[in-house]
Amino acid sequence: MRIADLHQTLAQLGALPVHQGRITRAWLNGKALDTGTRHQKAENFLPLRVREGLPAIATQLEQLASISERHPGADGSARLLVKLHDGQLVESVLLPRDGLCVSTQVGCAVGCVFCMTGKSGLIRQVGSAEIVAQVALARRERSVKKVVFMGMGEPAHNLDNVLEAINLLGTEGGIGHKNLVFSTVGDPRVFERLPQQAVKPALALSLHTTDAALRAQLLPRAPAYDPAELMALGEDYARATGYPIQYQYTLLAGINDSQAEIDRLLELFKGKYAVLNLIPYNSLPDDDYQRPSGERIVQIVRYLHSRGVLTKVRNSAGQDVDGGCGQLRARADKPERIRPLRQSAI
């Protein structure tokens, strides 16, 4: 379901744009669709035919996304396994400080070697209304003032649906544009279309290494950008929007944590309007990849930060519940439901 489908259904009932806006805002805030305002009750504002049709619409919206499992983390986060209307499962994460991470695809076609989500391949796209429904669901749990599109899936491979969701959240959803964070491996369409949007989100780019050949190994189906070229495109967007680019760098012991890599990061980040998010790999004992030691992580952060690179450590929320992206779904899903890895049709 897409957002336009909801608006069309409301219009068929006789709802004018002003009525649609109020109903949509109530939904986005996790409230009943016929919620009125302090000074105006719904029966004095919404046409009778619209009010009569709202229960059926509410049922349809309830079925878009529901919580299948809830896993609170010691860090104040909560990983939610969310069931979509067709029974497919995605993950949303309630983050500390009023944040929410949402999924944009069931599975993913990029196939990052360190990502559990990519192991299932791309199963289907998540519609714009399903993306927004994750926010509405989360707002029943707690306040949500920031939404990051960093859950399951590559947002650029579902671009129309993601941009529709961003536009609605940045207008009727009341979320500041810089608090909507679009995360991508660097699809060229992102750099073309995001600057054209009325709601321009902040941008997070998956970097993970300074070496083009290594990046191709770690992100096998990502566009073949040289890291310097990718950062140049990011810098253009940062200067145009006034938001620094967030560069995501998953730390893998013995792979991309060498001193040579860190020195090349210094060169790449020189003069850039950017933040480097170091993400220690959320490893399990039998993984092919492991996170660096705590001592090494601290060394890297101090080294970069002392030389002018704004560096933050972003541990995956909910690590104590094995909550790395895709892990909840992989545990909940039966093996036969996970399809072989395949390329996106986009």
Side-chain angles (χ1 to χ4, degrees):
M1 183 178 181
R2 299 181 72 160
I3 293 163
D5 299 327
L6 170 62
H7 291 162
Q8 182 179 5
T9 300
L10 289 170
Q12 289 171 347
L13 291 173
L16 298 175
V18 66
H19 304 133
Q20 295 176 28
R22 179 172 293 185
I23 293 168
T24 301
R25 287 191 294 274
W27 173 47
L28 290 175
N29 284 291
K31 299 179 179 178
L33 300 186
D34 61 354
T35 300
T37 66
R38 182 178 178 182
H39 302 291
Q40 190 176 52
K41 296 181 179 180
E43 57 265 32
N44 297 329
F45 179 74
L46 297 177
L48 175 61
R49 187 161 168 246
V50 175
R51 297 201 306 274
E52 291 175 342
L54 285 183
I57 295 174
T59 299
Q60 187 178 17
L61 294 177
E62 289 283 339
Q63 294 172 345
L64 284 179
S66 59
I67 297 177
S68 178
E69 296 180 13
R70 181 186 284 100
H71 297 266
D75 57 2
S77 66
R79 286 203 172 251
L80 308 177
L81 189 64
V82 176
K83 181 184 291 186
L84 304 180
H85 70 93
D86 60 353
Q88 290 289 354
L89 299 169
V90 296
E91 296 175 21
S92 297
V93 186
L94 290 163
L95 303 169
R97 296 179 295 279
D98 297 333
L100 175 71
C101 179
V102 298
S103 293
T104 57
Q105 294 181 303
V106 183
C108 183
V110 177
C112 301
V113 298
F114 48 79
C115 179
M116 181 65 77
T117 300
K119 295 184 186 303
S120 66
L122 176 63
I123 295 174
R124 76 165 174 86
Q125 306 288 17
V126 177
S128 57
E130 292 176 307
I131 296 172
V132 169
Q134 295 173 64
V135 179
L137 197 62
R139 278 179 162 169
R140 296 178 188 175
E141 302 277 321
R142 62 172 75 163
S143 173
V144 173
K145 297 179 181 178
K146 180 175 184 177
V147 177
V148 296
F149 297 80
M150 297 181 184
M152 294 172 59
E154 163 54 53
H157 289 178
N158 191 16
L159 195 53
D160 288 341
N161 279 300
V162 173
L163 291 181
E164 284 179 14
I166 285 173
N167 182 69
L168 188 66
L169 293 171
T171 52
E172 304 290 6
I175 297 177
H177 299 188
K178 68 179 180 180
N179 287 327
L180 296 162
V181 184
F182 187 109
S183 178
T184 176
V185 295
D187 192 289
R189 290 167 294 184
V190 170
F191 303 109
E192 176 186 348
R193 293 191 57 184
L194 258 59
Q196 300 172 3
Q197 303 304 304
V199 177
K200 296 178 178 62
L203 188 58
L205 295 175
S206 295
L207 187 61
H208 304 305
T209 177
T210 64
D211 182 273
L214 178 58
R215 190 171 188 270
Q217 293 176 29
L218 296 176
L219 287 64
R221 295 175 183 85
Y225 282 117
D226 181 89
E229 181 185 7
L230 179 64
M231 290 189 67
L233 291 167
E235 184 69 8
D236 289 343
Y237 187 75
R239 299 296 176 182
T241 59
Y243 317 145
I245 301 297
Q246 299 179 38
Y247 289 96
Q248 314 288 61
Y249 195 100
T250 300
L251 280 171
L252 304 168
I255 304 293
N256 63 358
D257 64 341
S258 69
Q259 191 57 45
E261 275 270 18
I262 305 309
D263 286 334
R264 286 195 295 267
L265 279 174
L266 285 178
E267 291 299 316
L268 285 177
F269 274 78
K270 189 177 296 182
K272 296 293 193 301
Y273 189 28
V275 178
L276 177 61
N277 289 330
L278 295 179
I279 308 168
Y281 180 60
N282 190 25
S283 54
L284 299 175
D286 58 347
D287 279 349
D288 293 332
Y289 301 95
Q290 294 293 317
R291 64 194 285 142
S293 68
E295 181 182 2
R296 179 58 182 150
I297 294 169
V298 170
Q299 288 175 349
I300 292 172
V301 173
R302 287 178 176 172
Y303 184 82
L304 290 170
H305 203 70
S306 67
R307 287 159 177 80
V309 177
L310 181 56
T311 308
K312 299 181 179 180
V313 176
R314 300 292 193 191
N315 283 301
S316 295
Q319 290 191 64
D320 52 320
V321 294
D322 289 347
C325 188
Q327 290 179 358
L328 287 182
R329 183 182 184 278
R331 287 210 309 268
D333 239 5
K334 295 178 181 179
E336 62 266 26
R337 290 185 58 194
I338 299 180
R339 304 180 187 179
L341 186 65
R342 59 183 174 88
Q343 279 277 19
S344 169
I346 298 177

